[in-house]
């Protein structure tokens, strides 16, 4: 098994896809992030970024295309919530159509409907030619709760009530339910071999920082955080643009405050406003770096490798060399 924990960004844009000349550098696909923990693939959200990711997985994962007698090719897809920018790529996710694929699809129920119903309705015959049941993969669709833990170890993928006595090889995923977004949102903390990635999209900062989120993200190696707005946009100081306070998204400053307070190793600004061009996003990165040095604006193709630290030196001392930014 590969020792590497790797993150790759396939969709980084919030709200709706934004193709065009002004978004070439950072990309226009809606949220989807791939995490590889050894040979296990975890996907965060199914915005349109999951479409090119699906093609890549279908091409490079032999088990997905394997014959009936082979072990199924397993993938774990986690939804932060069910807003359409986080689900709209799923009907075009190639592995979902592959008979040897087994998809574990976990996330929160909607406010009025179950997660399964929402996904089925997204592909009702009125709105899409193929329903969930027409997709040949086998699907384990489960709504999960904040108190539960998602585990992927030698025994496969499952949801447990407590993460006690798991092997070192287990990928352990904890859930934080945030109310800082309309309808609520799940923040995930994915840990493998002592390294942690926190995925906190679609969340708005609080005055004095979101203390529950800071606690949940404490000492994470990588924090992927919503940073949809320029501060002046959020506060309604931009000509012709209303304040976006209460929309459920953060400013660069809010993202940096959470990163600094939680002592995260690396901050990745995420869920970019669809009206922002590459130049605006580059300026947001400069602002972020002045507030929290290890900041980067997510772009399609950005990759981070977290190499497990075999030395007895403490993890925090080793942080500087753990990151290999490839993209
Ligand atoms: Zn969103
Ligand atoms: Zn949302």
């Amino acid at each position: 098994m590969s020792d590497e924990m790797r993150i790759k960004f396939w969709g980084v844009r919030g709200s709706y896809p934004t193709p065009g000349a002004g978004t070439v550098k950072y990309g226009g696909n809606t949220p989807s992030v791939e995490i590889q923990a050894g040979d296990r693939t975890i996907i965060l959200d199914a915005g349109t970024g999951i479409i090119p990711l699906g093609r890549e997985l279908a091409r490079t994962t032999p088990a997905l295309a394997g014959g009936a007698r082979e072990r199924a090719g397993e993938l774990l897809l986690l939804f932060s919530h069910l807003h359409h920018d986080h689900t709209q790529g799923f009907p075009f996710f190639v592995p979902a159509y592959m008979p040897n694929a087994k998809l574990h699809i976990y996330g929160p129920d909607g406010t009025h409907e179950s997660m399964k119903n929402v996904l089925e309705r997204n592909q009702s015959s009125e709105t899409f030619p193929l329903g969930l049941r027409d997709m040949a993969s086998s699907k384990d669709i489960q709504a999960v709760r904040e108190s539960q833990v998602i585990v992927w170890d030698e025994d496969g993928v499952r949801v447990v009530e407590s993460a006690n006595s798991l092997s070192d090889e287990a990928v352990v995923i904890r859930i934080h339910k945030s109310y800082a977004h309309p309808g609520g949102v799940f923040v995930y903390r994915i840990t493998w071999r002592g390294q942690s990635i926190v995925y906190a999209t679609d969340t708005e900062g609080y005055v004095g920082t979101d203390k529950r989120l800071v606690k949940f993200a404490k000492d994470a190696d990588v924090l992927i955080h919503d940073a949809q707005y320029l501060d002046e946009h959020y506060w309604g100081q931009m000509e012709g643009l209303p304040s976006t306070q209460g929309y459920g998204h953060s400013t660069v400053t809010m993202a940096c405050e959470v990163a600094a307070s939680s002592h995260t190793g690396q901050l990745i600004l995420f869920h970019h406003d669809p009206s922002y061009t590459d130049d605006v996003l580059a300026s947001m990165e400069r602002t972020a770096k002045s507030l929290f040095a290890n900041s980067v604006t997510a772009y399609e193709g950005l990759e981070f490798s977290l190499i497990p630290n075999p030395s007895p030196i403490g993890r925090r001392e080793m942080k500087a060399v753990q990151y290999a930014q490839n993209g």
Side-chain angles (χ1 to χ4, degrees), residues 88-103:
Q88 64 200 172
F90 186 74
F92 304 97
F93 182 52
V94 172
Y97 293 90
M98 300 175 84
N100 211 48
K102 174 147 195 195
L103 309 185

Side-chain angles (χ1 to χ4, degrees), residues 81 83 85-86 181 202:
H81 62 318
H83 285 167
D85 52 327
H86 299 257
H181 191 71
D202 294 64

Side-chain angles (χ1 to χ4, degrees), residues 13-30:
R13 188 70 55 169
S15 307
Y16 54 86
T18 58
T23 57
V24 167
K25 186 175 166 204
Y26 290 93
N29 280 305
T30 48

Side-chain angles (χ1 to χ4, degrees), residues 120-121 123-131:
E120 277 171 351
R121 205 158 40 75
Q123 290 179 242
S124 79
S125 59
E126 303 292 352
T127 59
F128 197 74
L130 296 163

Side-chain angles (χ1 to χ4, degrees), residues 149 151 153-155 158 160-170 172 174:
V149 182
V151 173
D153 61 8
E154 297 85 343
D155 298 329
R158 63 196 189 282
V160 297
E161 300 300 325
S162 128
N164 291 334
S165 64
L166 292 168
S167 81
D168 293 344
E169 273 311 307
V172 177
R174 293 177 195 282

